[in-house]
Structure formats: structure tokens, C-alpha cells
Amino acid sequence: MDTAPPVAVATNAELRLQLLRTPQLWRGDRAVALNRLDAALLALLAHDGPTTRARALALLWPDIDAAAARNLLRQRLFRLRRAAGCEFVGALATRLALAEDLAHDLRDPGAALLDDPEAAAGELLGDFAYDELSEFRDWLEGARERWRARRREALRALARRFEQQGQPARAIALAERLVRDEPLREHAHRELIRLHYLCGDRNAARAALARLRAVLARELDAAPGAETEALAALVEASAALPEPAAARVVPVATLRPPRLIGRDAAWHTLESSWRDGMPALVLGEAGIGKSRLIDDFARAHGAVRVCARPGDAHAPFALLARLAAELGAPSPERWDAPRLTQALAPLQPAGIVLDDLHFADEASLELLPALLAAKPRPWVLAARAHELVAGADWLAELPVRIELAPLSAGSVHELLDSLGLPGIDAQAWSERVFRHSGGNPFFVLETVRALLEPGIGAGAWADTALPAPGTLQRLIAARLAKLSPAALKLARVAALAAADFSVDVAAAVLDQHPLDQLDAWRELEAADVVRGQGFAHDLIRQACRAAVPEALRAWLHGRIAAALEA
């Protein structure tokens, strides 16, 4: 009888399974999206460990003939193996298990949180719903609660450990995280208040107490318990520390510049298509200013503006249901194509603007062409150029297409000047900020905010490389993760070689003929990673360089030096 768990199978060292938030299978820097059933199967094995085939089939294919269900399981295992490029699910006659050396985010929350207090975030299987699989849905609800309990206990244990080791700042960071994860747990709030008190920060303890009172009153119509009130009295009786100097507030102009700059041509094209009743599509990379352009345009024309949101892809008709609600259409129990078409047909807004279509659900994208053709009303659609999902191919056929380019050096100067920020001389800073950001407006503003960081100021960056805020590092890393391995290799060599980079150097370091780099180079140009002979901007070069581990960086520098010497 086959009852032993499957033996560990060989896995790629770069393979990593993500089951929190959006389920994905990572191969190095590239992510492979998981569909609902694949994610469900892997979550079952990761959370419960080795599982019988019979149980997996009963949970995931309850209403299908046993032979057909076994065939579906075999097909899924084959597709997963092909997507991963290696075997990572062990399968014997009666049992399934993940490879013992497969990294995944359900293994040990304590180990992850030890290095990063924001690790292990998100819900198991993210926004995926399994209403049609009642038994798996019940399992998932229980698994989610058990996972939250494991994470909660890990946060508590680490916070206590850091407190005992005399590291109160690290303990407070974990306590803050626990409060965000479990806002209705009074014990979590009380631990945070206690830690602030032990550090002598009465104002922070008071603020944490006020937050607890507000949450309990709003959500539970309740007040803190006796233990918390006793702690509050102790805080009030403690001696106050000197008030810290007020932190400088970053001017609101950096959050929304007073004027739209460098988009006159795009605005005129939108005006023309609006008058003619022709749908227009606005495309561009993240941060390029699509949303600011169409938001200003919608306000100027009294149009209804609705955005797709992260997570919409898992909820059919999420975008168009949001549009119907914005237009005041009555909401049925369930939206489908006929109901949405009937609900939207009689409504006559001045125009409709749909933003962030790269987040949109496939059902909405499939129905949109019919809605655009049904009645001649002005439409403006916007999306990130390289992130459109299945069902959006028809967008390429729209009559008006506007691709937003980065701002020119002159426009960056004009943008900085329009902000009117003390300490930022547009004439002195615009050229450096342009090279650093590549003219991406969001990158410009994030850089300026970093220059004005309280306690640092722009002067600290006068003779050094400009700052690379974490928000931009994450955004650029996500862009680079979409590149092929060949293009990433080429970009990293270019980043390390810097001014010494050339086709000959890359060919020598990568042991390739220069023509073998053609497709990778074209891919980098299409993704706006490189322009001409160099990087599109300093932030991308820094991100490519930072992604190379120190040991490998030293080895590559040796290869580059040898190539230059040769």
C-alpha cells in the first residue's frame, strides 16, 4: 500500500512559490501567474503538507467523474512542471507533496519577519474566491485563519524577543505591524502602547491609545478594557519627555503639481477625438502621467472617470459594475453582460474616462467594444502599454492612440520651477533630476520628495548620486522582472560596465557573438530600459546594478576588466 509521502524531487534553486496576495510561481526575477485551481492545489500542499490524491480530487473536482478528475489533475501537474521548468510536486500513486527544498511564503513566518517586519503580508490565495467549491471554500477559510494565527504568534514572539534583547525599535515595528494586521485585537494595541511607554515616548503611547479607542468605538461600539485603562493611567502619570522638533512637511505641490506640463500635444489630440466622438487610448509606462492627464481632461469636460483596481482581474465585470454604480444604475444581485448592457444603454453622461485598464477584468474588457460601438459618446481609455491582459487586443484598433513620452529636459525644468519649493533651484537641479529620472514625472516628484526629506535636505545630495526612494526601486524592479533572462543579463553587464560598456565588452563577458545580443537589445529598447547607447535614466542603471549580489558583482567586474584589457 502506497502511504509514504513522495520523495523530494529536484527543484530549480531559483524557484519560489508565492501563495500570499497574488499567487505566483517565481523563477528568479520572473513571475508566472497561477490560475485559481493551480493555486488552490499548491496552497493545499503547502499548508497541509503531503496530501492524498483522493482528498485533493474531492476538494477541487467534487462533481466530476473520478477518472476524469484524475486526468485533470495529471494535466495540471504537467502544466505546472512545464511552467516551472523542473519537477517540484512529488506524485506517487496515492499521495502528493511539494518538494522539500521548494521555497514558499507559508514555510516559516518567524524567519521571514526576523529580517523584515513587513514580510508574510497578505491573505492566503489573495482575492481568489471558490464559491462553486463549497468544501474547498470551507477549508480555505480555516486555513486562512490558521495562517493568520501563525503569523500573529510569530509577530508576538519576535517582539518579545527583541524587547528582551534591548532592541525596542525592532519590537515596536513588529507591534505596529500586528496592530495593522489585527486592528480589532485590543491585546495587540496594548502591547504597542506598553512598548512606547517603556521607551519613554509618552506622546507615541497616547497616540496608540487614541487609535485603539477610535477603532473600538467605530467598529464595536465599545471602550478599552480595565487592563488597558490601567496602562493608560500609568502613561498619563509618567513624566513627559521634551517635545521633538516639528518635522518639516513635504509641500503638497509635490503630491499634485499645480500645472499639467509637457502634455499640450496630447491634450489637443484628446480634444479633437472628444469633439468627433471617437474613442481615444492613452498609453505609457507607470508614472508617466496618464492619470493626471485624463483626470484633468475629465474634470474640464464634466466626464465620469472610473479606474480599474488591482484585484479586479479575479472579479468578472468589476470595472463595468463600478462604472454602472458611478452613473447611478440600480445594482442587481449579479452582473452579467446583458444586464450591464441594458443598465448602461439609457445613461447619457457627458463622456466616460476609464483609467488603469491594465488592472481590468477580462469580462469587462470583452464587453467594452460593444459598449463603445452602441452609442456615439466620447470615451477616453488609459493603460500601461506593456501590461494589458488577455481580452484587450481590440485596444490596438482604436482610431486615436496617444503614447505619452517622458518629459524633455526643458519640461522637467518647468515642472520643478512650477513647484516653487524652497531649497530647490530649478535651474541648478533640473539637469541632474532629468538624467536621474529619465523625464518620468512620478520619478521626478519622488526624487524631489527624497531631496526634501526632513533632517537631510537637498544640500546633502549636492556632490553625490541622487536618492533612489524605495517606491521607485520597487516599481523599477517590477518592470525589470518582466524582461527575459537574456535581456536582464545584458542590462546587468551594462550597469556594471558603466561608461566602459560596449558591444565587444558584453560579447566577451557573456561569451556570445554580438549578433546573439540583437533580440535582447531590442527588448531593452522596447521596454525603455535603454535609449541609444545608454540606460534610459540613472534609476534603471542603479536598479540593474543593485540586483547583482556582491560576490557575483566582483566576479563580473573581473570579467569586464579582462575584456577591456584584451
Side-chain angles (χ1 to χ4, degrees), residues 361-383:
D361 62 279
E362 191 172 344
S364 290
L365 288 172
E366 289 178 351
L367 182 56
L368 261 174
L371 296 178
L372 267 64
K375 283 195 175 182
R377 63 161 71 91
W379 290 79
V380 175
L381 313 176

Side-chain angles (χ1 to χ4, degrees), residues 92-394:
L92 291 182
T94 63
R95 293 173 75 79
L96 304 169
L98 296 180
E100 292 180 0
D101 59 345
L102 175 67
H104 61 74
D105 49 4
L106 299 188
R107 276 201 183 279
D108 185 357
L113 290 164
L114 185 62
D115 296 323
D116 179 8
E118 299 303 320
E123 191 76 274
L124 177 59
L125 294 185
D127 296 328
F128 281 160
Y130 298 87
D131 292 340
E132 79 283 12
L133 301 174
S134 59
E135 289 191 32
F136 181 80
R137 181 193 62 209
D138 293 343
W139 173 87
L140 180 57
E141 289 177 0
R144 283 172 169 170
E145 181 52 43
R146 290 189 293 276
W147 166 250
R148 286 192 291 266
R150 282 183 64 199
R151 181 174 59 195
R152 183 167 63 243
E153 190 51 43
L155 284 165
R156 286 175 176 167
L158 275 177
R160 288 194 296 269
R161 173 177 160 186
F162 288 139
E163 180 187 350
Q164 293 165 1
Q165 292 175 348
Q167 302 181 66
R170 297 184 73 179
I172 286 173
L174 292 165
E176 281 278 9
R177 165 68 187 281
L178 185 54
V179 166
R180 292 197 303 273
D181 284 355
E182 309 277 355
L184 296 182
R185 290 186 179 271
E186 186 173 345
H187 180 272
H189 289 266
R190 191 163 57 245
E191 276 299 293
L192 179 60
I193 297 166
R194 188 182 66 82
L195 286 167
H196 281 310
Y197 168 76
L198 290 175
C199 290
D201 194 343
R202 186 169 71 162
N203 287 338
R206 281 172 162 174
L209 178 63
R211 176 167 50 168
L212 170 61
R213 293 189 192 281
V215 168
L216 292 179
R218 181 179 65 250
E219 302 295 337
L220 303 176
D221 192 22
E227 191 175 347
T228 302
E229 292 294 0
L231 179 58
L234 182 61
V235 169
E236 289 303 319
S238 63
L241 294 177
E243 292 290 335
R248 178 168 43 163
V249 177
V250 177
V252 71
T254 63
L255 302 175
R256 183 180 177 85
R259 292 189 289 112
L260 184 66
I261 289 171
R263 300 304 183 207
D264 290 350
W267 187 283
H268 292 321
T269 302
L270 285 176
E271 286 280 12
S272 177
S273 65
W274 194 265
R275 285 194 305 270
D276 296 340
M278 300 175 67
L281 174 64
V282 180
L283 293 171
E285 67 179 54
I288 204 67
K290 303 178 297 299
S291 295
R292 174 63 190 270
L293 169 66
I294 65 173
D295 182 52
D296 282 9
F297 192 85
R299 291 172 187 270
H301 293 80
V304 171
R305 177 173 175 260
V306 172
C307 300
R309 300 171 184 166
D312 279 2
H314 307 308
F317 298 110
L319 173 61
L320 291 181
R322 197 172 296 126
L323 173 62
E326 186 69 25
L327 293 172
S331 177
E333 290 185 6
R334 181 177 64 86
W335 283 113
D336 55 25
R339 287 189 178 94
L340 275 166
T341 303
Q342 185 177 5
L344 293 172
L347 304 175
Q348 296 294 326
I352 295 173
V353 174
L354 300 182
D355 197 4
D356 289 338
L357 288 188
H358 48 279
F359 291 134
D361 62 279
E362 191 172 344
S364 290
L365 288 172
E366 289 178 351
L367 182 56
L368 261 174
L371 296 178
L372 267 64
K375 283 195 175 182
R377 63 161 71 91
W379 290 79
V380 175
L381 313 176
R384 294 179 191 168
H386 303 295
E387 298 184 27
L388 289 170
V389 298
D393 296 345
W394 58 271

